Amino acid sequence: MVRKCSKFPNGFFCRIFCFPFQPRVPIQSLVLASTPSYTKHPIQLLFTTLNPQHNTTIMANKTLLPRLNTRVLPRRPLYLSNPRSYHSYDHPSPSGPFNAVETSILSASLPHIPSHGFTSTTLSLGAKDAGYIDASTNLFSNGAFSLVHYHLVTQRLGLASKTHVLNVQEGERPMGTGAKVKALAWERLMANREVIHRWQEALALMAQPSNFPTAISELSSLADEIWFLAGDKSVDSSWYTKRASLSTIYAATDLFMTRDKSPEFAETREFLDRRFEDVQVLGKATGSLGQWVGFTAQAGLNVLRSKGVRI
């Protein structure tokens, strides 16, 4: 409701809705007076006019709706969305990407891979062997790729029990870190021997855009696992270059192995040796270049300092 005040000849409109007004005392500003409580008591609104000819103030009472109090949310503990990507003897490794039911089905499916490949048929057979109905395969949102993922995870974790390949006989020279890395990489490649005739199916599944991030993550974890088991303790930038180089070598050798028909994969072993030799030569050349650049830069700084330049 908008009412016109007859006390003002120039026409003053009071915009207080549904409440009458009464003349009181003069005021020259807008004042808001409120009671201590915002929820149970009305507040008084004092409106004035700046017309000097009339010493009149309009007062009105208006009940406001309850005001919601500010709610402070309790603090919640911070959880990491991704598991840690490093090794620690003090803390146990995080649980794998599969729960108990999925693990039982996938583990029962592995023996069917040589015959049926990385397919949904293998998943169904594994579910039956594990005592579940065929519809239980709907638990795997990634379908047949879950078989590939499970194979990659289990074989990577299984390397820890195969470190006997790093032992040497009495009187022999101990293996260096590079030789240990090569031996562990070869041991992991040999874990695909039983399914190598089906491995191109796995590579095709890993190359799909929806599965590619998981495949790359597993390759990176495998390289990290091999370097860790080999005893690498680097903490500088070489930590990254070593794992990147090993990932490249392993991926190339893994693909080459699918086409190898030689006895005991002899050609694959030669291919792996050549890739490691190439990396060693490249690493030496890069190291020599880095030493040369560092020496030249230091010599240049010394010359400038001898000339009085403050560096």
Side-chain angles (χ1 to χ4, degrees):
M1 178 185 298
V2 178
R3 302 189 181 213
K4 184 176 181 180
C5 181
S6 60
K7 301 293 183 179
F8 295 89
N10 58 348
F12 176 82
F13 290 87
C14 178
R15 298 183 178 276
I16 302 179
F17 296 91
C18 303
F19 292 95
F21 53 84
Q22 300 176 357
R24 294 298 182 190
V25 294
I27 298 180
Q28 297 299 327
S29 63
L30 176 64
V31 180
L32 176 61
S34 63
T35 59
S37 175
Y38 291 93
T39 58
K40 297 182 179 181
H41 301 284
I43 68 172
Q44 292 182 335
L45 298 177
L46 303 179
F47 293 87
T48 69
T49 179
L50 298 181
N51 192 335
Q53 299 178 358
H54 298 276
N55 297 328
T56 306
T57 298
I58 302 168
M59 177 183 291
N61 293 335
K62 181 178 180 181
T63 303
L64 300 182
L65 295 176
R67 181 180 297 178
L68 297 178
N69 294 329
T70 304
R71 180 184 177 185
V72 180
L73 296 177
R75 291 186 177 182
R76 296 180 179 181
L78 178 63
Y79 296 99
L80 296 177
S81 58
N82 296 325
R84 56 182 174 84
S85 57
Y86 58 88
H87 296 275
S88 175
Y89 290 109
D90 300 326
H91 304 281
S93 300
S95 58
F98 306 101
N99 56 40
V101 177
E102 293 172 344
T103 300
S104 62
I105 294 176
L106 291 172
S107 60
S109 301
L110 292 181
H112 299 283
I113 293 178
S115 302
H116 302 279
F118 295 90
T119 60
S120 57
T121 302
T122 301
L123 273 177
S124 299
L125 294 175
K128 291 181 180 180
D129 294 345
Y132 297 96
I133 61 177
D134 295 342
S136 59
T137 57
N138 294 328
L139 293 172
F140 305 99
S141 58
N142 294 327
F145 177 73
S146 299
L147 286 169
V148 180
H149 191 192
Y150 184 77
H151 176 79
L152 295 175
V153 171
T154 53
Q155 294 301 328
R156 170 172 57 84
L157 297 179
L159 276 178
S161 61
K162 298 179 181 179
T163 54
H164 60 275
V165 298
L166 307 180
N167 299 330
V168 295
Q169 296 181 359
E170 185 177 357
E172 294 183 355
R173 185 178 180 180
M175 298 176 63
T177 303
K180 292 180 180 179
V181 169
K182 185 189 300 185
L184 290 171
W186 178 252
E187 191 69 20
R188 173 59 188 88
L189 288 169
M190 287 296 98
N192 293 343
R193 177 184 301 182
E194 300 298 329
V195 296
I196 194 60
H197 61 289
R198 297 286 188 176
W199 195 241
Q200 288 188 358
E201 300 175 5
L203 294 177
L205 290 172
M206 286 188 281
Q208 294 182 5
S210 58
N211 304 329
F212 189 72
T214 303
I216 290 297
S217 177
E218 275 301 318
L219 179 61
S220 175
S221 299
L222 175 62
D224 184 35
E225 183 81 10
I226 291 176
W227 276 106
F228 172 76
L229 295 176
D232 178 59
K233 298 180 180 180
S234 59
V235 294
D236 53 2
S237 59
S238 64
W239 190 95
Y240 300 95
T241 57
K242 289 177 181 178
R243 283 151 181 78
S245 300
L246 179 58
S247 298
T248 304
I249 293 174
Y250 183 87
T253 309
D254 192 23
L255 180 60
F256 181 87
M257 187 177 175
T258 59
R259 302 187 300 269
D260 186 8
K261 304 300 181 182
S262 61
E264 298 298 327
F265 301 99
E267 294 181 1
T268 302
R269 186 59 185 264
E270 295 176 359
F271 181 87
L272 180 65
D273 293 339
R274 290 195 300 269
R275 298 291 77 76
F276 271 99
E277 292 174 359
D278 294 341
V279 170
Q280 290 176 358
V281 171
L282 180 60
K284 292 179 180 179
T286 304
S288 300
L289 178 61
Q291 293 178 359
W292 179 83
V293 171
F295 175 80
T296 304
Q298 186 64 34
L301 290 176
N302 292 334
V303 170
L304 293 176
R305 288 168 181 168
S306 65
K307 298 297 182 180
V309 179
R310 296 182 178 180
I311 301 178

